[in-house]
C-alpha cells in the first residue's frame, strides 16, 4: 500500500511538471506505461529481453568486464580503471533498461539488483557531486580538460537512468545522485563561467528529462545553454574537425547532417526537446532542414544511417555502400528517438514512417532472435563473415538495445486535445481503445473503442501503402486525410469498431539513381519490412539476377526463424526479413539484388 501511495504522489508530480501548456507540440506522447501490449510479433521479443537480454547485460557488467568494478574502486578512491573511459554509460543504460522493465513488470529480484548498483554509484560520487569513474581513478586533475572524454555523455545516461528508476519505484537515491552531478556541472559551466561543448551529445536531452521530473527550470536553461555553445570555437579536444562533433555551425543554422551519426541523433533530440519547451522556432526550422538531408540523401532503405566506418557517420550525399555500411544499431535507435519527437512537434505522419522503418529493420536487427547476441554494425551485404557478438569492448549497442526494447510502447500512440493518433500497428490497449493486428506480416488492423468518447481517431497511412480500405460498420466516420493520417471523426460508443486494411504487395524497389552502390539493383520489400536473401536458403540461386518478369509469392513459415513471412520469387530466390539474418550458420547475405534488365519489375499482392 505504501508503494502504491508513493507512486501516486510521483505520478501527480510528473503530471504537474511535464510540459503542461508550455509545450509547443502538436501532439502529446502516450507513455509506454499507459499501453498494454499483447502482440504475436512483439511478445517474443519482449520475453527474450526480460528472460535473456537483461541477464546478459548484468553478467557482462558484473562478471565479464570491469564496468561495475570501476564504481567499486572509485568508491574506495583506489585501484585501476579498466576498459574504455566512457564505460560508465553502459552500466547506466543497462540499469535504465532494468527500470523500464520494472515499470512494466515488477520484479523484486531485479529491483534489488538495481538498488545494489545504485549504492555503488552513490558511494563513488565525490562530495562536490562529480561522478565519473575514469578521472576519479586516473587523476582528478584531468577533469574537464578534454571535451571528447565523455564526462557529460555519461552524466546524461546517468540522469536518464535515474529518472527512469525514480518513475519505476519512487525511490530518490539515484535521482539525488544525478541531481548532484547536474548541480555540480552548473557550478563549473554556464553563463559567466566556463564554455564547454560536449564531444558526444546526450546530456542535453537528459537535462530536459531532469527538468521534467523535478520542475526545476535551471536544468532546461542549462540544456539550451549547452546547445547554444556549439559552432563558436569552444571545443577543446582531439582535432577530428568541427563537423565530426556537430560543432561547425550554431545549431540554429544546421542544414546538413555531418560527423558521427549517433552524436548527431542525440543532438537533434535535445534540440527538439528544448524547442518544444522554449518555443525555439529557429531550432524547429533547422531540424526540418536537416531531416530532409538525412532522409532524402543519407538514409539506407532499412532506416539505418552512417555509411562510413572512418567516422562512424557521414561522408557525402548518396554515399551508401552496402557491404561497407556502418549503420550502427545506436544510430537506428537514435533515428527513432528523433523522429518520434518530430512527429510530436508537427503531427506529420512522415516522421512516424521513419520511426517504423528504423524500428522494424535497423533497430531490432541489433539483437539476435535468441536475445543474447548483438550487432554493432548493420551492413546490407555480407560475405558470411559478419556476425553478432555476445558483447563488445565498446558496448554501447547492447546496452542501447537493453534500454530501448521495453520502451517500444512509447511509439504506438499519441494524443491531442481532440484526437487519438495511431502511429504503429501493434496489438495493444490504452485508455478507452484496443487494437488487434497481425502486423507487420498481416495488413488488417482492427480497432475497438472500449469506452465512449468524442475524440477523433487518426490512423497513420504508411508511406509504403498505395491503397487501403476502411470499415466503420454502420457509423458515419466523416473520413478525411490530413498530414498522412486517415481521420475518422465521430461520437464513439463503447464497442464501436473500425477496421483498416492496407494493401501490402511485395515490391521490388529501386534506389535513387545517384546512389552508385545500388545502380542496376532492386531491393525486395513488403509493408514496413525490408527483405534479404541468405545463401543458406539459396545455394543454387544466390548469384542469379532478377529479371523484368520476376513475380513473387508469400507464405508464413511457422518453423523458420521463430515464425516469419517468407517470400519466394519466380527466379527461385527465397527471402527472409532483414532483421532475421545471421541467426543461423554463417552465410552470405544481400539486400540489393542485381537485375538482368533495367526496367520496372512486376509487383503482386
Amino acid at each position: 500500500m505504501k508503494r502504491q501511495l508513493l507512486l501516486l504522489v510521483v505520478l501527480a508530480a510528473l503530471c504537474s511538471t511535464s510540459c503542461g501548456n508550455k509545450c509547443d507540440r502538436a501532439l502529446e506522447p502516450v507513455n509506454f506505461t499507459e499501453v498494454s501490449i499483447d502482440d504475436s510479433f512483439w511478445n517474443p521479443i519482449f520475453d527474450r529481453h526480460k528472460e535473456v537480454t537483461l541477464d546478459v547485460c548484468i553478467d557482462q557488467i558484473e562478471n565479464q568486464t570491469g564496468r561495475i568494478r570501476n564504481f567499486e574502486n572509485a568508491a574506495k578512491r583506489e585501484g585501476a580503471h579498466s576498459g574504455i573511459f566512457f564505460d560508465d554509460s553502459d552500466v547506466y543504460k543497462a540499469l535504465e533498461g532494468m527500470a523500464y522493465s520494472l515499470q512494466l513488470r515488477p520484479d523484486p529480484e531485479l529491483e534489488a539488483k538495481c538498488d545494489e548498483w545504485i549504492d555503488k554509484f552513490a558511494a563513488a560520487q565525490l562530495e562536490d557531486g562529480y561522478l565519473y569513474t575514469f578521472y576519479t581513478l586516473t587523476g582528478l586533475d584531468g577533469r574537464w580538460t578534454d571535451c571528447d572524454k565523455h564526462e557529460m555523455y555519461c552524466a546524461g545516461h546517468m540522469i536518464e537512468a535515474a529518472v527512469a528508476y525514480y518513475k519505476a519505484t519512487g525511490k530518490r537515491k539515484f535521482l539525488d545522485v544525478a541531481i548532484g552531478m547536474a548541480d555540480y556541472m552548473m557550478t563549473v559551466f554556464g553563463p559567466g563561467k566556463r564554455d564547454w561543448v560536449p564531444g558526444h551529445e546526450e546530456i542535453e536531452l537528459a537535462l530536459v528529462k531532469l527538468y521534467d521530473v523535478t520542475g526545476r527550470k535551471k536544468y532546461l536553461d542549462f540544456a539550451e545553454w549547452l546547445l547554444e555553445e556549439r559552432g563558436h570555437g569552444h571545443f577543446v579536444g582531439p582535432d577530428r574537425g568541427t563537423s565530426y562533433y556537430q560543432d561547425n555551425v550554431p545549431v540554429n543554422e544546421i542544414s546538413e547532417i555531418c560527423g558521427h551519426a549517433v552524436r548527431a541523433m542525440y543532438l537533434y533530440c535535445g534540440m527538439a526537446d528544448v524547442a518544444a519547451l522554449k518555443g525555439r522556432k529557429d531550432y524547429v526550422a533547422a531540424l526540418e532542414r536537416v531531416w530532409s538531408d538525412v532522409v532524402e540523401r543519407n538514409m539506407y532503405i532499412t532506416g539505418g544511417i552512417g555509411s562510413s566506418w572512418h567516422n562512424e557517420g557521414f561522408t557525402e550525399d548518396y554515399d551508401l555502400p552496402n557491404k561497407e555500411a556502418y549503420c550502427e544499431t545506436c544510430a537506428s535507435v537514435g533515428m527513432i528517438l528523433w523522429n518520434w519527437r518530430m512527429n510530436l512537434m508537427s503531427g506529420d505522419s512522415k516522421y512516424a514512417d521513419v520511426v517504423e522503418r528504423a524500428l522494424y529493420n535497423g533497430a531490432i536487427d541489433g539483437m539476435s532472435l535468441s536475445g543474447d547476441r548483438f550487432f554493432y554494425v548493420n551492413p546490407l551485404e555480407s560475405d558470411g563473415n559478419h556476425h553478432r557478438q555476445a558483447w563488445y569492448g565498446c558496448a554501447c549497442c547492447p546496452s542501447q538495445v537493453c534500454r530501448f526494447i521495453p520502451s517500444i510502447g512509447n511509439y504506438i500512440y499519441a494524443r491531442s486535445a481532440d484526437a487519438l493518433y495511431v502511429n504503429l500497428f501493434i496489438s495493444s490497449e490504452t485508455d478507452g481503445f484496443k487494437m488487434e493486428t497481425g502486423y507487420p506480416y498481416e495488413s488488417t488492423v482492427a480497432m475497438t473503442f472500449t469506452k465512449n468518447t468524442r475524440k477523433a481517431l487518426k490512423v497513420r497511412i504508411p508511406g509504403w501503402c498505395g491503397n487501403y480500405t476502411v470499415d466503420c460498420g454502420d457509423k458515419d466516420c466523416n473520413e478525411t486525410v490530413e498530414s498522412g493520417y486517415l481521420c475518422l471523426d465521430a461520437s464513439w460508443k463503447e464497442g464501436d469498431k473500425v477496421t483498416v486494411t492496407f494493401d501490402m504487395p511485395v515490391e521490388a524497389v529501386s534506389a535513387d539513381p545517384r546512389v552508385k552502390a545500388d545502380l542496376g539493383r532492386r531491393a525486395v520489400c513488403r509493408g514496413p519490412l525490408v527483405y534479404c536473401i541468405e545463401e543458406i536458403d539459396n545455394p543454387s540461386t544466390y548469384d542469379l539476377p532478377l529479371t523484368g518478369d520476376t513475380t513473387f509469392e508469400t507464405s508464413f513459415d511457422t518453423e523458420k526463424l521463430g515464425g516469419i513471412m517468407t517470400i519466394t520469387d519466380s527466379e527461385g530466390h527465397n527471402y527472409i526479413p532483414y532483421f532475421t539474418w545471421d541467426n543461423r550458420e554463417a552465410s552470405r547475405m544481400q539486400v540489393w539484388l542485381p537485375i538482368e534488365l533495367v526496367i520496372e519489375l512486376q509487383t503482386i499482392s
Side-chain angles (χ1 to χ4, degrees):
M1 179 61 73
K2 289 182 179 179
R3 168 67 63 82
Q4 291 175 333
L5 291 173
L6 180 57
L7 287 177
L8 288 174
V9 172
V10 171
L11 290 172
L14 292 177
C15 291
S16 67
T17 61
S18 180
C19 289
N21 295 322
K22 296 180 181 179
C23 272
D24 188 14
R25 296 192 298 211
L27 308 178
E28 288 299 315
V30 176
N31 189 271
F32 72 93
T33 58
E34 302 175 62
V35 179
S36 175
I37 297 175
D38 186 9
D39 184 89
S40 59
F41 181 87
W42 286 104
N43 280 7
I45 296 175
F46 296 146
D47 290 343
R48 286 193 296 271
H49 174 273
K50 179 70 169 65
E51 297 165 6
V52 179
T53 308
L54 287 177
D55 286 342
V56 167
C57 290
I58 291 170
D59 179 61
Q60 288 286 344
I61 286 167
E62 290 189 334
N63 303 317
Q64 307 302 321
T65 72
R67 282 165 172 76
I68 201 68
R69 192 159 54 251
N70 286 332
F71 289 95
E72 295 168 352
N73 290 346
K76 297 182 293 186
R77 313 297 191 257
E78 64 181 30
H81 182 278
S82 64
I84 306 174
F85 52 87
F86 54 80
D87 277 354
D88 292 1
S89 62
D90 295 331
V91 186
Y92 298 140
K93 285 194 286 183
L95 193 143
E96 185 181 352
M98 294 154 73
Y100 291 151
S101 183
L102 288 173
Q103 289 184 53
L104 294 173
R105 294 188 241 180
D107 181 334
E109 184 176 347
L110 185 62
E111 184 174 336
K113 178 58 66 178
C114 291
D115 290 337
E116 178 186 326
W117 285 10
I118 289 167
D119 287 342
K120 297 178 191 295
F121 304 158
Q125 188 168 36
L126 303 185
E127 290 185 4
D128 61 9
Y130 184 78
L131 177 51
Y132 185 61
T133 66
F134 177 74
Y135 280 131
T136 300
L137 293 173
T138 62
L140 289 172
D141 55 343
R143 288 195 291 183
W144 312 118
T145 58
D146 184 343
C147 290
D148 201 30
K149 269 295 190 286
H150 290 45
E151 286 161 280
M152 284 194 178
Y153 169 77
C154 287
H157 280 304
M158 173 172 56
I159 290 169
E160 287 203 86
V163 169
Y165 193 65
Y166 177 58
K167 290 181 177 181
T169 66
K171 297 177 181 178
R172 284 197 60 97
K173 186 171 188 175
F174 192 16
L175 183 65
D176 288 338
V177 168
I179 288 171
M181 179 59 168
D183 288 348
Y184 159 75
M185 290 189 294
M186 293 176 65
T187 66
V188 180
F189 306 103
K193 303 167 189 173
R194 284 187 59 183
D195 292 305
W196 193 257
V197 175
H200 196 312
E201 300 91 330
E202 153 66 25
I203 184 64
E204 302 86 354
L205 69 91
L207 285 166
V208 176
K209 289 189 176 184
L210 192 58
Y211 158 70
D212 189 52
V213 80
T214 64
R216 300 174 189 174
K217 186 173 176 291
K218 64 179 182 178
Y219 301 129
L220 175 61
D221 293 340
F222 190 37
E224 183 180 29
W225 180 84
L226 286 168
L227 292 170
E228 290 295 303
E229 285 283 277
R230 293 184 174 274
H232 302 290
H234 298 318
F235 182 86
V236 178
D239 185 13
R240 297 182 180 178
T242 57
S243 295
Y244 176 81
Y245 301 103
Q246 294 81 42
D247 191 39
N248 53 324
V249 297
V251 294
N252 63 351
E253 296 178 14
I254 291 173
S255 60
E256 297 178 347
I257 188 75
C258 64
H260 189 282
V262 180
R263 301 179 196 221
M265 293 300 101
Y266 288 158
L267 171 63
Y268 303 157
C269 287
M271 289 175 64
D273 287 342
V274 170
L277 289 161
K278 288 211 156 194
R280 292 294 302 259
K281 300 294 186 184
D282 55 339
Y283 282 13
V284 176
L287 291 170
E288 290 173 344
R289 290 193 301 269
V290 76
W291 185 88
S292 295
D293 186 56
V294 175
V295 174
E296 295 170 10
R297 295 180 282 278
N298 292 281
M299 184 179 77
Y300 283 89
I301 193 172
T302 58
I305 57 169
S307 60
S308 172
W309 286 69
H310 175 67
N311 63 355
E312 301 183 67
F314 304 91
T315 54
E316 60 186 31
D317 288 348
Y318 306 107
D319 179 27
L320 298 169
N322 293 309
K323 191 181 299 183
E324 301 82 10
Y326 200 71
C327 285
E328 185 178 336
T329 298
C330 285
S332 291
V333 173
M335 280 288 278
I336 294 168
L337 299 176
W338 174 36
N339 279 274
W340 172 62
R341 287 166 165 83
M342 296 296 287
N343 173 257
L344 293 176
M345 281 202 300
S346 66
D348 194 320
S349 73
K350 69 181 182 181
Y351 301 112
D353 283 343
V354 177
V355 169
E356 179 182 77
R357 181 168 294 273
L359 173 62
Y360 281 98
N361 301 287
I364 61 173
D365 183 51
M367 184 175 75
S368 67
L369 296 180
S370 56
D372 60 353
R373 302 186 74 82
F374 309 93
F375 271 150
Y376 195 112
V377 175
N378 296 269
L380 280 74
E381 183 177 346
S382 170
D383 288 330
N385 54 6
H386 183 80
H387 308 294
R388 294 178 182 84
Q389 298 181 27
W391 200 250
Y392 294 85
C394 173
C396 56
C397 293
S399 56
Q400 181 81 284
V401 169
C402 180
R403 74 177 185 140
F404 173 68
I405 292 296
S407 68
I408 283 172
N410 275 339
Y411 312 106
I412 301 175
Y413 302 103
R415 61 167 72 99
S416 66
D418 58 1
L420 175 68
Y421 287 71
V422 178
N423 277 326
L424 295 180
F425 308 110
I426 298 175
S427 295
S428 56
E429 291 188 61
T430 191
D431 184 28
F433 188 80
K434 182 177 183 178
M435 175 164 47
E436 297 173 286
T437 181
Y439 200 88
Y441 297 129
E442 297 178 11
S443 61
T444 296
V445 182
M447 294 161 280
T448 305
F449 288 88
T450 56
K451 70 178 184 181
N452 298 347
T453 182
R454 187 57 190 85
K455 282 194 171 188
L457 176 63
K458 298 193 175 183
V459 181
R460 179 177 63 93
I461 305 170
W464 52 261
C465 177
N467 296 287
Y468 60 90
T469 58
V470 185
D471 183 358
C472 294
D474 58 1
K475 205 169 195 69
D476 182 4
C477 293
N478 300 307
E479 178 185 338
T480 59
V481 175
E482 179 181 313
S483 299
Y485 288 95
L486 170 64
C487 306
L488 304 173
D489 193 1
S491 292
W492 306 101
K493 298 188 183 311
E494 181 180 354
D496 282 349
K497 297 181 182 297
V498 173
T499 302
V500 180
T501 301
F502 303 109
D503 285 358
M504 193 181 280
V506 177
E507 297 185 296
V509 301
S510 58
D512 188 297
R514 287 166 289 190
V515 181
K516 295 179 181 179
D518 298 332
L519 285 175
R521 293 178 177 271
R522 295 290 186 268
V524 173
C525 303
R526 183 175 182 269
L529 295 177
V530 175
Y531 277 72
C532 67
I533 65 170
E534 284 193 295
E535 192 172 20
I536 185 175
D537 298 315
N538 302 276
S540 61
T541 62
Y542 183 85
D543 292 316
L544 291 181
L546 300 176
T547 74
D549 297 322
T550 299
T551 58
F552 304 91
E553 294 183 356
T554 62
S555 63
F556 193 84
D557 190 329
T558 59
E559 300 298 324
K560 180 177 285 189
L561 295 166
I564 58 170
M565 183 72 74
T566 63
I567 297 173
T568 304
D569 70 27
S570 53
E571 312 305 320
H573 300 107
N574 292 286
Y575 303 78
I576 60 172
Y578 172 76
F579 77 88
T580 67
W581 80 280
D582 191 49
N583 277 282
R584 298 170 291 181
E585 55 260 44
S587 180
R588 288 194 293 168
M589 180 278 296
Q590 60 181 347
V591 169
W592 290 94
L593 277 67
I595 56 173
E596 188 173 79
L597 301 172
V598 185
I599 61 175
E600 290 299 317
L601 301 184
Q602 178 182 356
T603 64
I604 66 167
S605 299

